[in-house]
Amino acid sequence: MILQPGSQYTLVRLGLEDPLGLPSHSIPTKVYRCEKEEEETVYSMAEKEGYSEVFPIVAGHIRDVKGLQFFIKSIITTLLKKDGDGDEEENGHQEITSAELVNLLLVQASSRWSPFAVESIVNYAFEALNFNSVSVIPLELCSMFAYGSIPNALVVDIGYEKSEILPIVDYQLYSPAKKVVSKGGDDIN
């Protein structure tokens, strides 16, 4: 399973699909949050009364780690139910048995994600979702390998709200030279 979370949409690819084709799923990257003083924060994928809309990723930064974790869990649960390969619990909901059903979760991360956010997502995938293996790869490296594993490149990533320019030297991100422009696809439109 390959996830590419973005500010507006998360792209999901399952299994060995056509490598030149579009991802099989494009899901809006938003959740709904209800904060009550006495309880911990509760999230939902559906709009409900008393819940506010939250975009966990804004301009390439993860603003709500817990919301993104809930979003990832919801995607996985929904896709496993759709496949119908998992066991059902008594209440009719499917249990996440990723060790049996999903061998790899690959999150294509923005270079703007904080180390704390990346660590939180990886820990959540291992501890709460029971994945056997998790890889977090910067989006810039993924795009470079798509062109035949080029050792040196200049990657320009135009997002919805921002654009990133990042050189890659000898297969390594050269972060000191990274530039972020606060103009993106929305401004182009």
Side-chain angles (χ1 to χ4, degrees):
M1 176 179 290
I2 301 172
L3 297 176
Q4 181 184 343
S7 297
Q8 296 294 308
Y9 290 93
T10 295
L11 304 177
V12 182
R13 182 179 292 267
L14 298 171
L16 298 173
E17 297 176 11
D18 177 17
L20 299 176
L22 296 172
S24 56
H25 303 284
S26 178
I27 304 164
T29 309
K30 68 179 173 182
V31 294
Y32 297 90
R33 176 175 59 200
C34 179
E35 295 182 25
K36 296 183 179 180
E37 295 176 17
E38 300 153 2
E39 301 175 19
E40 71 177 56
T41 306
V42 177
Y43 292 94
S44 172
M45 288 299 288
E47 189 173 1
K48 296 180 181 179
E49 187 176 326
Y51 284 67
S52 59
E53 184 179 76
V54 175
F55 290 90
I57 301 173
V58 177
H61 291 287
I62 297 178
R63 299 284 186 211
D64 187 349
V65 175
K66 297 281 187 194
L68 186 59
Q69 290 172 345
F70 174 79
F71 180 74
I72 291 170
K73 178 181 178 180
S74 298
I75 289 173
I76 293 165
T77 303
T78 302
L79 293 177
L80 290 179
K81 282 182 188 176
K82 205 175 204 181
D83 281 348
D85 292 334
D87 298 328
E88 291 192 2
E89 294 179 352
E90 292 176 9
N91 59 7
H93 295 295
Q94 187 169 15
E95 182 181 356
I96 295 178
T97 55
S98 59
E100 299 170 12
L101 297 175
V102 182
N103 294 325
L104 174 67
L105 169 68
L106 173 66
V107 180
Q108 295 179 340
S110 169
S111 61
R112 301 184 81 189
W113 289 12
S114 71
F116 170 76
V118 172
E119 182 181 351
S120 296
I121 291 169
V122 170
N123 285 341
Y124 184 77
F126 279 125
E127 295 169 4
L129 301 177
N130 300 318
F131 276 93
N132 289 329
S133 61
V134 177
S135 295
V136 179
I137 300 176
L139 185 60
E140 293 84 3
L141 286 178
C142 292
S143 64
M144 184 192 70
F145 280 102
Y147 285 100
S149 188
I150 302 168
N152 303 307
L154 180 66
V155 179
V156 179
D157 175 19
I158 300 176
Y160 178 72
E161 302 164 304
K162 53 83 185 154
S163 297
E164 295 180 38
I165 304 167
L166 183 68
I168 297 174
V169 179
D170 221 7
Y171 298 106
Q172 300 292 317
L173 301 177
Y174 187 63
S175 295
K178 176 177 77 172
K179 298 292 179 201
V180 178
V181 180
S182 61
K183 303 285 185 196
D186 187 44
D187 296 305
I188 294 170
N189 292 341

